[in-house]
Amino acid sequence: MRETWHFINTKSNDPYYNMAVDEALMNFVSRGEIDPVIRFYTWNPATLSIGYFQKLTKEIDIEKVKEKGYGLVRRATGGRGVLHDKELTYSVIVPESHPNMPKTVTEAYRVISEGLLEGFKTLGFDAYFSIPKTKEARDKLKTPRSSVCFDAPSWYELVVEDRKIAGSAQTRQKGVILQHGSILQDIDVDELFDMFIYRNDRLKDKMKAAFIDKAVAINDLSDRHITLEEMETAFYEGFKKGLDIEYKPLIFTEAQLNEIKEIEEKYKSEEWTYRK
């Protein structure tokens, strides 16, 4: 018998709601209110999310973000800046004690990402896991040069034709693993790089060129336009196969909806967004 996990697609919402739901799901799983859960969602407006440890005012051109009409939110997970626009975002929330979850972050990342791998295969891509082979490559991962996510594959990142096609981040709190990430449908590299601060234009151009060389969106690789609905179907099936699970729908209770609303206030606050 396959294990049954919850599944929910919360569709398009603002950045504060999106981050609040991920945090709330960790609480629900931690308290044993729900089983492990897979969630899909999208963003309205398009939003720049920054990693928990990023220095916002040093790395991000906040005025440019506002000028473009993008949302801005700090994630509970680490990693670098991501522009959530034309993409499907996923999250997986599962107890650390789950028998199929390895103890190390890297190995758990690989297990969860099997769902992504199967989703890309369903869409017809020859995707595989990136594994840094040399000590130099492994050392580079410890000191990323750029504030922009997707500029280099890390351990067990999903790549197609040697270019990173999905970016994910993981945190562990209250005995629970949260892994969430972006599956890019399309990307506007100029828009993305406009929102980051660089010492000079030459460095910005160099980093942008490196990014284009190392990262790619689904529709840059496909000979036809792949819709968001096709992505939702493919990755819904992908996680089911990759994690060897069945699904049951998750419907929030009134108490759970109230908890999400309370957590939203944290993500809306300047204290959280501008934290040092």
Side-chain angles (χ1 to χ4, degrees):
M1 286 289 291
R2 283 177 159 195
E3 189 179 352
T4 302
W5 287 24
H6 281 295
F7 176 84
I8 187 168
N9 186 341
T10 52
K11 298 291 183 178
S12 184
N13 286 283
D14 71 46
Y16 317 114
Y17 178 86
N18 279 343
M19 293 297 89
V21 172
D22 273 359
E23 183 172 327
L25 288 171
M26 290 186 79
N27 293 343
F28 305 158
V29 169
S30 178
R31 297 196 296 258
E33 290 178 20
I34 63 171
D35 290 320
V37 57
I38 290 172
R39 174 192 174 210
F40 291 168
Y41 54 105
T42 53
W43 304 71
N44 184 23
T47 294
L48 182 71
S49 83
I50 60 165
Y52 181 77
F53 299 102
Q54 279 191 289
K55 293 176 172 61
L56 180 63
T57 51
K58 275 189 179 177
E59 299 180 28
I60 309 298
D61 186 337
I62 297 161
E63 288 310 308
K64 191 64 68 96
V65 175
K66 289 178 182 172
E67 182 188 306
K68 290 175 180 290
Y70 291 133
L72 179 65
V73 71
R74 185 182 292 277
R75 303 188 304 272
T77 50
R80 290 163 281 168
V82 182
L83 177 58
H84 305 280
D85 190 3
K86 295 178 179 70
E87 68 170 51
L88 177 64
T89 313
Y90 79 91
S91 52
V92 176
I93 299 95
V94 58
E96 287 185 270
S97 59
H98 190 283
N100 293 345
M101 284 300 128
K103 297 299 176 219
T104 68
V105 171
T106 305
E107 289 303 319
Y109 187 93
R110 183 193 60 77
V111 169
I112 292 170
S113 296
E114 287 286 347
L116 296 174
L117 182 67
E118 292 299 334
F120 284 117
K121 285 181 179 176
T122 301
L123 288 171
F125 293 108
D126 183 17
Y128 54 93
F129 288 123
S130 161
I131 303 172
K133 292 179 175 63
T134 65
K135 183 177 185 302
E136 182 189 16
R138 289 192 291 273
D139 287 345
K140 268 187 183 174
L141 296 180
K142 297 172 188 171
T143 54
R145 293 177 303 155
S146 171
S147 301
V148 184
C149 189
F150 282 96
D151 71 345
S154 54
W155 280 100
Y156 299 125
E157 210 74 76
L158 266 295
V159 293
V160 173
E161 296 176 12
D162 289 327
R163 294 164 82 190
K164 182 171 169 178
I165 197 166
S168 302
Q170 194 184 110
T171 186
R172 294 175 180 229
Q173 299 172 28
K174 303 174 186 173
V176 176
I177 298 168
L178 162 67
Q179 182 173 309
H180 57 191
S182 300
I183 308 163
L184 298 181
Q185 181 189 24
D186 294 286
I187 186 166
D188 186 327
V189 177
D190 292 331
E191 279 287 283
L192 174 63
F193 274 77
D194 266 0
M195 291 182 287
F196 292 86
I197 295 168
Y198 292 95
R199 282 199 310 275
N200 53 56
D201 286 342
R202 189 183 64 79
L203 180 60
K204 180 179 178 179
D205 290 343
K206 184 180 174 187
M207 298 303 258
K208 194 189 292 187
F211 179 95
I212 292 165
D213 191 45
K214 292 172 184 165
V216 69
I218 277 179
N219 280 324
D220 292 328
L221 290 170
S222 176
D223 53 8
R224 64 181 183 84
H225 179 77
I226 294 173
T227 65
L228 181 64
E229 290 71 24
E230 286 177 279
M231 291 171 67
E232 288 174 332
T233 301
F235 289 98
Y236 179 89
E237 295 300 329
F239 276 107
K240 191 192 279 192
K241 184 176 179 183
L243 298 180
D244 193 29
I245 56 173
E246 295 294 344
Y247 292 130
K248 57 186 172 185
L250 175 61
I251 298 162
F252 294 130
T253 65
E254 195 172 331
Q256 289 171 340
L257 288 170
N258 288 336
E259 186 168 339
I260 291 166
K261 269 187 185 164
E262 282 177 29
I263 297 170
E264 267 186 88
E265 294 307 311
K266 178 181 92 174
Y267 286 99
K268 287 177 181 176
S269 72
E270 290 201 352
E271 182 185 2
W272 170 261
T273 306
Y274 289 85
R275 69 174 292 280
K276 297 289 183 276

